[in-house]
């Protein structure tokens, strides 16, 4: 019988699909793959088969999505990477070409640049805060994973979020996003057993 947690998961997946955001589809692909890999109820041979089907389904869906007119035009004019990353790679190259020793410090980040937010998480953190900022975030995430995250669902959520954050922006430097990320982790750690038993 389907429990409340499973119903909520289906609802979230459906709403996510309707969002039309490529990053969300990638996150769902990673999430499902990790859930299968971490599952103790599924045999290894079955895991390989299911993961293969998920990969084929995701690849097919991605090709269909990129075959839409808006993406086809972008692929023809700018290439595959530009279409997949919604021109973020182009903006990154453009911005990197503007960086000099006068407007950027490797340790602390940008000093004088008109545009610095590219919505590529790692690049944005480096531009805003430099190597010190990257080191601080790595230490924070390592401590969070090592000290707090123990249960399967929170591990899967954490890894999925980190993978997604590597390709898109706005997660770790927008306060509300960071708060929701932490609240979700704490909720998964504290209540997942109670929820699954309902």
């Amino acid at each position: 019988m389907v429990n409340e947690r499973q119903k909520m998961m289906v609802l979230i997946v459906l709403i996510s699909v309707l969002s039309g955001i490529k990053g969300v589809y990638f996150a769902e692909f990673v999430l499902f793959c990790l859930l299968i890999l971490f599952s103790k109820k599924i045999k290894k041979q079955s895991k390989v088969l299911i993961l293969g089907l998920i990969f084929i389904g995701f690849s097919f869906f991605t090709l269909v999505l990129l075959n839409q007119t808006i993406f086809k035009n972008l692929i023809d004019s700018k290439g595959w990477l530009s279409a997949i990353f919604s021109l973020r790679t182009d903006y990154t190259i453009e911005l990197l070409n503007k960086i000099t020793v006068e407007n950027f410090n490797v340790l602390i980040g940008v000093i004088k640049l008109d545009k610095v937010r590219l919505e590529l998480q790692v690049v944005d953190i480096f531009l805003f805060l430099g190597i010190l900022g990257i080191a601080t975030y790595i230490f924070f995430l390592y401590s969070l994973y090592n000290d707090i995250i123990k249960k399967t669902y929170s591990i899967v959520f954490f890894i999925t979020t980190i993978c997604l954050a590597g390709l898109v922006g706005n997660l770790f430097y927008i306060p509300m996003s960071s708060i929701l990320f932490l609240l979700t982790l704490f909720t998964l750690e504290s209540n997942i057993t109670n929820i699954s038993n309902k």
Side-chain angles (χ1 to χ4, degrees):
M1 186 175 180
V2 179
N3 59 39
E4 294 300 320
R5 177 175 58 80
Q6 292 168 331
K7 290 179 182 177
M8 183 61 70
M9 178 68 76
V10 171
L11 179 62
I12 290 171
V13 169
L14 289 176
I15 292 173
S16 299
V17 168
L18 294 174
S19 71
I21 300 172
K22 297 190 298 297
V24 172
Y25 302 145
F26 172 74
E28 288 183 347
F29 167 70
V30 175
L31 177 70
F32 288 135
C33 287
L34 290 174
L35 286 174
I36 298 301
L37 285 173
F38 279 97
S39 176
K40 296 178 180 178
K41 298 179 180 179
I42 303 175
K43 295 180 180 179
K44 289 183 179 180
Q45 291 181 339
S46 298
K47 285 183 180 182
V48 173
L49 176 61
I50 296 171
L51 288 172
L53 291 174
I54 291 174
F55 178 78
I56 292 171
F58 176 73
S59 300
F60 175 77
F61 183 81
T62 301
L63 289 174
V64 170
L65 183 66
L66 293 177
N67 201 41
Q68 302 301 310
T69 304
I70 185 172
F71 291 115
K72 284 180 70 175
N73 293 337
L74 194 55
I75 290 170
D76 292 338
S77 60
K78 298 284 187 177
W80 282 91
L81 278 179
S82 297
I84 293 172
F85 288 95
S86 300
L87 295 174
R88 291 185 181 96
T89 50
D90 298 72
Y91 296 145
T92 300
I93 293 170
E94 180 184 333
L95 183 61
L96 291 176
N97 287 330
K98 294 179 180 178
I99 289 178
T100 65
V101 292
E102 285 79 24
N103 60 25
F104 184 77
N105 183 291
V106 175
L107 285 178
I108 63 173
V110 69
I111 301 172
K112 295 178 183 177
L113 273 176
D114 296 331
K115 180 180 178 181
V116 292
R117 209 179 92 175
L118 301 167
E119 295 192 18
L120 280 172
Q121 192 75 81
V122 177
V123 178
D124 281 344
I125 292 174
F126 177 68
L127 288 173
F128 274 118
L129 304 169
I131 291 177
L132 292 177
I134 292 285
T136 301
Y137 273 98
I138 290 174
F139 176 74
F140 167 73
L141 292 173
Y142 172 78
S143 299
L144 185 66
Y145 185 86
N146 197 49
D147 299 336
I148 296 173
I149 301 172
K150 307 296 180 186
K151 298 182 180 178
T152 300
Y153 279 93
S154 52
I155 292 173
V156 168
F157 174 76
F158 179 83
I159 296 174
T160 300
T161 304
I162 297 302
C163 289
L164 180 61
L167 302 176
V168 299
N170 302 328
L171 177 63
F172 293 129
Y173 47 77
I174 292 182
M176 184 55 69
S177 298
S178 298
I179 290 170
L180 289 173
F181 171 65
L182 291 173
L183 285 176
T184 303
L185 281 176
F186 291 140
T187 301
L188 289 171
E189 276 297 314
S190 60
N191 293 332
I192 197 69
T193 301
N194 294 333
I195 293 173
S196 62
N197 288 333
K198 287 184 178 181

